[in-house]
Amino acid sequence: MPFALFLLGVAVFAQGTSEFMLAGLVPDIARDLSVSVPAAGALTSAFAVGMVVGAPLMAGVARRWSRRGALLGFLVTFLCVHVVGAVTDSFGVLLATRVVGALANAGFLAVALVTAVGMVAPDAKGRATSMLLGGVTLACVVGVPAGALLGQLWGWRSAFWAVAVVSVPAVVAVARSVPAGGADSSPPSLRGELRSLRSPRLLGVLLLGALVNGATFCTFTYLAPLVTNITGLGGSWVPVVLALFGFGAFVGVRVGGLFADRRPVLVVGAGGLALCAGWVGFALGAGEPGVALGLVLVQGALSFGVGSTLISQVLYAAPGAPTLAGGFATAAFNVGAASGPWLGGTVIGAGFGYRSPLWVSAVLVGLALAFVAVMVRMTARSTSDLGQCSAVYGRG
């Protein structure tokens, strides 16, 4: 793998840390800026919505820019809004920085996905994608707990400063290591790219990605109250549990990347079945600390192994949309990241308890598996019909 891919992963690590770190900072932000906790929680929702909307939008805006220029522009914008967020005393300004930061993050990741697969052989998209998304999983393992710790020691603003500081070497690395490359003087027309994005196979993969990622974040968002209220572990175990999930995610992305190019159906099919069974087993055994801790690790690995494979398949399924494919893959990933916590919060709010997000996760993956079965059956039927027609006309 080209060394530039590792450097892109550093930038993704900083951005992933920013996306998820507010989970441990919301109470302090609310208190410091004199707003309610639900209002401060809107900062997370604003970032998620900005990612969903911004990924295809920013990918479209950057179509005629050089890849390196687009990456630097998005990354510098991301860095600057975190500096503004760290010094502002206005909640409105902070909210605006989260939206702008999300747009920049979405644009960077969309362009980075396309740039990464352009650096490797045509049959290595899965490995390139796993390398890039490793930055997200490391953010879960290291960045998010570190952000929470900084917030406890020196206040929530220190976490924003830390993200800005980590982004500085990423800017230098992208400027020095990503090939300059001029903008494509004749990229496919925007209408042509959008037309190719309507293919049934691509839409199916995007739906699968949203469902699997929705299941992941439905449970991940509520791991802390789950392990303290149901498993019976103390609050000091929460960082350990989050780190276990993140470590599993890192392993899952790396292992999934080894098979995503050659055996994607196996990864999605077998991995999806194991993932669904794991959510059911977690729901049933959440009261046992050993079972819960083991499944946190396993489910992190399966969730991100299957999820990253689906993202790479979006890039395979959209050869006619070389500049927008990464944007739509990013958007699908974040539709799940936004809808999963909402679904989990809804069932908890309805009085079903902290186990209920685990059951919702199992249902979401079950729906994904059912959809895979329908897709495989339709493909097999189409192939069979084509073969029969060929035989008939061949005899004629």
Side-chain angles (χ1 to χ4, degrees), residues 13 69 91 94 128 166 174 178 203 207 211 233 249 280 296 301 315 332 389:
F13 165 75
F91 178 76
L94 182 60
V166 172
V174 169
V178 173
L203 294 175
L207 176 60
L211 286 171
L233 298 174
V280 172
V296 163
L315 303 177
C389 289

Side-chain angles (χ1 to χ4, degrees), residues 261-290:
D261 298 304
R262 293 173 294 159
R263 307 293 294 275
V265 175
L266 175 64
V267 175
V268 174
L273 285 169
L275 183 60
C276 186
W279 288 131
V280 172
F282 198 172
L284 295 174
E288 297 294 329

Side-chain angles (χ1 to χ4, degrees), residues 157-293:
R157 297 175 191 275
S158 65
F160 279 71
W161 280 116
V163 170
V165 169
V166 172
S167 298
V168 171
V171 170
V172 175
V174 169
R176 292 175 60 90
S177 301
V178 173
D184 190 344
S185 59
S186 57
S189 68
L190 183 60
R191 181 175 298 179
E193 290 206 43
L194 291 172
R195 189 182 303 118
S196 72
L197 290 172
R198 297 202 299 262
S199 75
R201 178 191 172 198
L202 175 61
L203 294 175
V205 176
L206 289 171
L207 176 60
L208 291 175
L211 286 171
V212 169
N213 207 48
T216 301
F217 284 93
C218 179
T219 292
F220 178 74
T221 304
Y222 302 102
L223 271 180
L226 174 68
V227 299
T228 55
N229 290 275
I230 303 299
T231 309
L233 298 174
S236 60
W237 277 88
V238 171
V240 176
V241 171
L242 294 175
L244 269 178
F245 188 92
F247 179 73
F250 179 76
V251 172
V253 165
R254 300 295 292 163
V255 174
L258 299 177
F259 299 97
D261 298 304
R262 293 173 294 159
R263 307 293 294 275
V265 175
L266 175 64
V267 175
V268 174
L273 285 169
L275 183 60
C276 186
W279 288 131
V280 172
F282 198 172
L284 295 174
E288 297 294 329
V291 173
L293 292 174

Side-chain angles (χ1 to χ4, degrees), residues 32-44:
D32 186 40
L33 299 183
S34 301
V35 297
S36 67
V37 169
L43 295 169
T44 300

Side-chain angles (χ1 to χ4, degrees), residues 71-94:
L71 292 170
L72 285 173
F74 289 132
L75 190 52
V76 169
T77 300
F78 179 83
L79 188 160
C80 290
V81 297
H82 279 76
V83 172
V84 174
V87 300
T88 186
D89 289 320
S90 166
F91 178 76
V93 172
L94 182 60

